[in-house]
């Protein structure tokens, strides 16, 4: 009997925003794996650190990031081999995923390498999308709204067309693209309907109007939320 | 001191997919409110029924639905008055929301009526979007994908243009629009990349290829997920 591979959404940052299911599985599996930067701590592990029962085998998947934030795939070949060896030996493995496993996560690299050979269960989590909306106090989408989720690196003309054509918009992974996007939103005359959020629900969370953001301080984990109706929710 | 109003995301259906935070608040507040159909049980309450500690005051917000699924707003005026009276008396009130409170939920009608007068805390939840992706075993979006969330009632030509222009697509509230959408996806030649899900993570969940769906059985709470890359996640 091979083990089960769990893709565990651990939520956006507040440890209390993990689901009961992910919490139970995290505490019961013998092996836990998680991504981490080249040097330093894993964010996914930090979110749920207080729940580790102790005595588990931990696999740290160190992923050196290039400028475009896509890691070398060899890292995942090696990690998949390591995870697969535990599964072959009958041990269940939980892979921790910030937010939700299937919403812009690096989990999919391991999933692609293991899903055909092993039993996999995905435990969905609270994503940064919903967390940012909650923290800014404005609905993401309602009624028959069209919602567009856009990575910040898109060219300005494409961002403009897509923002113009949707009711609710989330711009992800803002980072070094902030100034470009703020200029666009000012030009489109909708900056007042925009909310900037970084590290939603974490201790270091910041929520600011666009004009108050210093562009050189914007991290990768940041989002701009827009709703065309502004505060007119009634 | 007035009470706190909580917008509690209770997740998509599996009771274990509630967050630790929503679970804690649900068990500690003196007043719980939730939507329900004109006749019959509340889905939001059913999801978390096992967690009710007993002895709480319950406010059932009965919302008669018209064909286009938008209830009469008087219902929310009345419910907001009832909730507000508890808050004025210093009692915290939790409003239960299926999935996430700010993702196409009816909570926003109450939020619009109460947010300016009371302290409100939104507890984000696992939405149907992430739950459907998890259950079908295919990522919703990855890397620099553009994700479009589209209500099924859009005209066919608009759906076609928006599906063509995105990488990942979620079509919500399929219901009586199923046949129209299946025809479109067949014509676009992408039906094989589509997954149909109804009542994700509930006991009555069904996941089917499009061609196996009987159009007259499709409920409102159903979704079609599409990813252009199909299974090519590596």
């Amino acid at each position: 009997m091979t083990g089960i591979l769990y893709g565990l959404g651990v939520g956006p940052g507040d440890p209390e925003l993990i689901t009961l299911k992910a919490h139970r599985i995290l505490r019961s599996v013998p092996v836990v794996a998680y991504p981490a930067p080249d040097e330093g701590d894993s964010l996914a592990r930090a979110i749920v650190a207080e729940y580790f029962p102790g005595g588990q085998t931990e696999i740290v998947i160190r992923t050196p990031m290039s400028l475009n934030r896509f890691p070398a795939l060899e890292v995942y070949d090696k990690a998949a081999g390591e995870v697969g060896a535990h599964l072959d030996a009958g041990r269940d493995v939980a892979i921790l995923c910030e937010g939700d496993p299937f919403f812009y996560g690096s989990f999919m690299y391991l999933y692609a390498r293991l899903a055909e050979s092993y039993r996999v269960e995905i435990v969905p989590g609270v994503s940064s999308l919903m967390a940012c909306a909650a923290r800014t106090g404005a609905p993401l989408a309602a009624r028959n709204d069209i919602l567009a989720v856009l990575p910040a690196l898109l060219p300005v003309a494409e961002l403009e067309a897509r923002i113009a054509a949707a009711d609710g918009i989330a711009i992800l992974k803002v980072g070094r693209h902030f100034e470009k996007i703020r200029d666009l939103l000012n030009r489109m005359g909708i900056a007042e309907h925009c909310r900037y959020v970084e590290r939603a629900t974490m201790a270091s969370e910041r929520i600011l109007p666009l004009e108050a953001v210093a562009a050189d301080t914007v991290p990768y984990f940041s989002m701009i939320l827009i709703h065309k109706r502004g505060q007119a929710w009634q």
Side-chain angles (χ1 to χ4, degrees), chain A:
Chain A
M1 281 284 285
T2 57
I4 300 171
L5 175 65
Y6 294 100
L8 280 198
V10 300
D14 176 349
E16 228 191 343
L17 290 176
I18 191 174
T19 63
L20 301 188
K21 184 169 187 174
H23 181 264
R24 170 179 60 80
I25 292 169
L26 171 61
R27 293 185 61 82
S28 67
V29 291
V31 184
V32 180
Y34 42 80
D38 221 359
E39 295 181 0
D41 294 337
S42 162
L43 177 58
R45 190 192 190 285
I47 290 172
V48 293
E50 66 193 88
Y51 305 133
F52 275 70
Q56 293 167 308
T57 299
E58 298 189 28
I59 300 173
V60 187
I61 306 168
R62 297 236 171 244
T63 51
M65 286 288 180
S66 59
L67 193 62
N68 65 7
R69 309 281 307 195
F70 299 132
L73 296 181
E74 299 79 48
V75 167
Y76 295 110
D77 291 337
K78 178 169 170 290
E82 210 173 333
V83 168
H86 283 288
L87 295 171
D88 286 334
R91 288 186 283 274
D92 294 345
V93 180
I95 299 178
L96 308 183
C97 310
E98 297 152 18
D100 175 81
F102 276 170
F103 186 76
Y104 296 94
S106 63
F107 172 69
M108 64 139 200
Y109 295 107
L110 289 168
Y111 182 71
R113 285 161 176 73
L114 294 162
E116 281 182 20
S117 310
Y118 299 98
R119 189 175 145 206
V120 182
E121 188 176 348
I122 307 298
V123 180
V126 174
S127 76
S128 55
L129 189 63
M130 282 66 186
C132 286
R135 295 299 300 155
T136 60
L140 205 54
R143 292 182 278 196
N144 290 314
D145 284 343
I146 291 167
L147 174 67
V149 181
L150 308 172
L153 61 47
L154 291 175
V156 170
E158 184 171 356
L159 280 171
E160 180 168 6
R162 291 179 181 274
I163 292 168
D167 303 298
I169 301 101
I171 303 175
L172 308 187
K173 314 183 200 182
V174 178
R176 65 202 165 85
H177 304 283
F178 179 81
E179 199 70 66
K180 167 186 87 173
I181 293 165
R182 176 164 59 188
D183 288 349
L184 170 64
L185 297 171
N186 278 323
R187 187 156 52 77
M188 293 179 76
I190 56 173
E192 66 178 308
H193 298 313
C194 299
R195 298 146 276 148
Y196 169 84
V197 192
E198 61 186 53
R199 303 188 180 91
T201 83
M202 299 183 194
S204 55
E205 173 189 276
R206 288 204 311 163
I207 299 174
L208 294 167
L210 290 189
E211 71 268 21
V213 176
D216 59 357
T217 67
V218 174
Y220 181 74
F221 279 114
S222 57
M223 199 181 291
I224 294 173
L225 292 180
I226 308 164
H227 204 292
K228 299 287 186 59
R229 276 200 297 279
Q231 297 305 308
W233 294 105
Q234 288 82 341

